[in-house]
Amino acid sequence: MSTIVLIIVFVFLCLFIVIATEVRARRRSSLSQHNSLKSSNAQYEEVTDSSDAPIPADTTCCGRHAVCENSSLLSSKPDIVYYDDEELDALKGRSADSFTEEERERVEEVFRTMAEADVAGWLRSLQLRDITLPSDILEEALLIVADRRNAKA
Protein backbone atom coordinates (compact mmCIF):
# COMPACT_ATOMS: atom_id res chain seq x y z
CA MET A 1 0.00 0.00 0.00
CA SER A 2 2.77 2.45 0.88
CA THR A 3 4.50 1.68 -2.43
CA ILE A 4 1.39 2.75 -4.35
CA VAL A 5 1.22 6.01 -2.36
CA LEU A 6 4.89 6.69 -3.10
CA ILE A 7 4.35 6.04 -6.80
CA ILE A 8 1.33 8.38 -6.89
CA VAL A 9 3.27 11.11 -5.04
CA PHE A 10 6.20 10.65 -7.45
CA VAL A 11 3.92 10.94 -10.50
CA PHE A 12 2.28 14.11 -9.14
CA LEU A 13 5.69 15.59 -8.33
CA CYS A 14 6.89 14.90 -11.89
CA LEU A 15 3.73 16.46 -13.35
CA PHE A 16 4.19 19.52 -11.16
CA ILE A 17 7.80 19.95 -12.32
CA VAL A 18 6.83 19.60 -15.99
CA ILE A 19 4.00 22.11 -15.67
CA ALA A 20 6.13 24.60 -13.72
CA THR A 21 8.91 24.36 -16.32
CA GLU A 22 6.45 24.95 -19.17
CA VAL A 23 4.87 27.97 -17.44
CA ARG A 24 8.32 29.45 -16.77
CA ALA A 25 9.38 28.98 -20.41
CA ARG A 26 6.19 30.64 -21.67
CA ARG A 27 6.67 33.60 -19.34
CA ARG A 28 10.24 34.08 -20.54
CA SER A 29 9.14 33.84 -24.17
CA SER A 30 6.31 36.30 -23.62
CA LEU A 31 8.59 38.73 -21.79
CA SER A 32 11.30 38.57 -24.47
CA GLN A 33 8.72 39.20 -27.22
CA HIS A 34 7.33 42.15 -25.29
CA ASN A 35 10.77 43.63 -24.66
CA SER A 36 11.94 43.18 -28.25
CA LEU A 37 9.55 45.91 -29.39
CA LYS A 38 10.83 48.60 -27.04
CA SER A 39 13.21 51.20 -28.47
CA SER A 40 16.35 53.19 -27.49
CA ASN A 41 17.48 56.78 -26.90
CA ALA A 42 17.89 59.54 -29.49
CA GLN A 43 21.38 60.33 -30.72
CA TYR A 44 21.63 63.65 -28.89
CA GLU A 45 19.46 62.97 -25.87
CA GLU A 46 21.25 63.30 -22.55
CA VAL A 47 21.62 60.10 -20.55
CA THR A 48 22.48 60.16 -16.87
CA ASP A 49 24.08 57.52 -14.71
CA SER A 50 23.94 57.09 -10.93
CA SER A 51 26.28 60.07 -10.43
CA ASP A 52 23.75 62.26 -12.30
CA ALA A 53 26.49 63.55 -14.57
CA PRO A 54 25.04 64.12 -18.04
CA ILE A 55 26.42 61.84 -20.70
CA PRO A 56 25.62 62.76 -24.30
CA ALA A 57 24.27 59.72 -26.08
CA ASP A 58 25.97 59.15 -29.38
CA THR A 59 26.44 56.29 -31.77
CA THR A 60 29.13 54.68 -29.57
CA CYS A 61 28.49 53.24 -26.15
CA CYS A 62 29.79 55.29 -23.24
CA GLY A 63 30.64 52.18 -21.19
CA ARG A 64 28.68 53.30 -18.13
CA HIS A 65 25.79 50.90 -18.66
CA ALA A 66 25.54 47.13 -18.36
CA VAL A 67 23.84 47.12 -21.75
CA CYS A 68 24.50 49.84 -24.29
CA GLU A 69 21.34 51.93 -24.55
CA ASN A 70 22.11 53.06 -28.09
CA SER A 71 21.25 49.66 -29.57
CA SER A 72 18.81 48.46 -26.93
CA LEU A 73 15.12 48.10 -27.57
CA LEU A 74 14.47 48.16 -23.83
CA SER A 75 13.21 51.43 -22.45
CA SER A 76 15.26 52.48 -19.43
CA LYS A 77 13.14 55.61 -18.98
CA PRO A 78 9.68 56.56 -20.19
CA ASP A 79 10.77 59.74 -22.01
CA ILE A 80 9.40 59.87 -25.53
CA VAL A 81 11.90 61.06 -28.11
CA TYR A 82 10.67 62.27 -31.49
CA TYR A 83 12.60 61.67 -34.71
CA ASP A 84 10.96 64.34 -36.86
CA ASP A 85 7.91 62.08 -36.92
CA GLU A 86 5.31 63.92 -34.85
CA GLU A 87 2.79 63.35 -37.65
CA LEU A 88 2.81 59.63 -36.81
CA ASP A 89 1.02 60.37 -33.51
CA ALA A 90 -2.19 60.37 -35.56
CA LEU A 91 -1.70 56.58 -35.87
CA LYS A 92 -1.68 56.01 -32.10
CA GLY A 93 -3.63 52.97 -30.97
CA ARG A 94 -4.46 51.75 -34.48
CA SER A 95 -3.45 48.46 -36.02
CA ALA A 96 -1.10 48.64 -38.98
CA ASP A 97 -3.73 46.85 -41.08
CA SER A 98 -6.05 49.84 -40.76
CA PHE A 99 -3.55 52.37 -42.19
CA THR A 100 -4.47 54.02 -45.46
CA GLU A 101 -1.93 53.87 -48.27
CA GLU A 102 -0.98 57.49 -47.55
CA GLU A 103 -0.40 56.76 -43.84
CA ARG A 104 1.67 53.70 -44.67
CA GLU A 105 3.78 55.74 -47.09
CA ARG A 106 4.30 58.38 -44.39
CA VAL A 107 5.60 55.72 -41.97
CA GLU A 108 7.83 54.23 -44.66
CA GLU A 109 9.22 57.67 -45.59
CA VAL A 110 10.21 58.36 -41.98
CA PHE A 111 11.87 54.93 -41.78
CA ARG A 112 13.72 55.27 -45.11
CA THR A 113 15.13 58.71 -44.27
CA MET A 114 16.35 57.67 -40.82
CA ALA A 115 19.98 56.95 -39.97
CA GLU A 116 20.54 53.31 -39.06
CA ALA A 117 21.94 54.40 -35.70
CA ASP A 118 18.53 55.90 -34.82
CA VAL A 119 16.36 52.90 -35.69
CA ALA A 120 16.45 51.29 -32.22
CA GLY A 121 15.53 54.59 -30.58
CA TRP A 122 12.75 55.15 -33.08
CA LEU A 123 11.27 51.72 -32.37
CA ARG A 124 11.27 52.43 -28.63
CA SER A 125 9.70 55.84 -29.25
CA LEU A 126 6.95 54.26 -31.35
CA GLN A 127 6.23 51.67 -28.70
CA LEU A 128 6.00 54.29 -25.96
CA ARG A 129 3.65 56.27 -28.21
CA ASP A 130 1.52 53.13 -28.94
CA ILE A 131 2.16 53.27 -32.68
CA THR A 132 2.22 49.96 -34.55
CA LEU A 133 4.41 49.51 -37.62
CA PRO A 134 3.39 47.52 -40.68
CA SER A 135 4.98 44.07 -40.38
CA ASP A 136 7.37 44.45 -43.33
CA ILE A 137 8.78 47.74 -42.00
CA LEU A 138 9.01 46.33 -38.47
CA GLU A 139 10.90 43.25 -39.69
CA GLU A 140 13.36 45.38 -41.65
CA ALA A 141 13.87 47.73 -38.68
CA LEU A 142 14.53 44.80 -36.34
CA LEU A 143 17.03 43.37 -38.83
CA ILE A 144 18.90 46.69 -38.87
CA VAL A 145 19.03 46.72 -35.06
CA ALA A 146 20.25 43.11 -34.99
CA ASP A 147 22.89 43.81 -37.66
CA ARG A 148 24.19 46.81 -35.71
CA ARG A 149 24.40 44.72 -32.53
CA ASN A 150 26.26 41.94 -34.33
CA ALA A 151 28.66 44.45 -35.88
CA LYS A 152 29.54 45.77 -32.40
CA ALA A 153 30.13 42.28 -31.02
Side-chain angles (χ1 to χ4, degrees), residues 9-138:
V9 168
F10 179 75
V11 168
F12 278 112
L13 182 62
C14 289
L15 284 173
F16 175 77
I17 291 172
V18 168
I19 292 170
T21 304
E22 183 66 27
V23 167
R24 187 175 182 194
R26 286 185 183 180
R27 281 186 184 164
R28 283 185 179 174
S29 173
S30 174
L31 181 61
S32 69
Q33 287 175 354
H34 173 73
N35 288 338
S36 72
L37 296 177
K38 291 188 178 178
S39 23
S40 101
N41 297 322
Q43 185 174 2
Y44 299 108
E45 176 187 350
E46 286 191 352
V47 179
T48 58
D49 65 352
S50 58
S51 68
D52 288 328
I55 307 162
D58 61 4
T59 57
T60 60
C61 189
C62 63
R64 290 185 168 178
H65 305 93
V67 176
C68 184
E69 292 181 354
N70 292 323
S71 64
S72 175
L73 296 177
L74 302 175
S75 179
S76 62
K77 51 187 170 179
D79 298 338
I80 295 175
V81 178
Y82 286 89
Y83 293 81
D84 262 345
D85 64 347
E86 292 82 4
E87 70 273 10
L88 298 183
D89 283 343
L91 306 175
K92 180 178 182 170
R94 293 178 47 200
S95 73
D97 297 338
S98 70
F99 294 175
T100 65
E101 188 61 33
E102 180 182 310
E103 291 169 333
R104 191 183 185 303
E105 287 173 1
R106 204 173 331 148
V107 172
E108 190 167 8
E109 179 184 352
V110 171
F111 174 64
R112 298 282 176 229
T113 58
M114 180 171 301
E116 284 188 1
D118 291 336
V119 173
W122 184 59
L123 290 175
R124 182 174 14 184
S125 173
L126 292 176
Q127 183 181 25
L128 291 172
R129 293 156 52 195
D130 192 26
I131 298 171
T132 306
L133 286 176
S135 60
D136 58 326
I137 296 174
L138 178 61

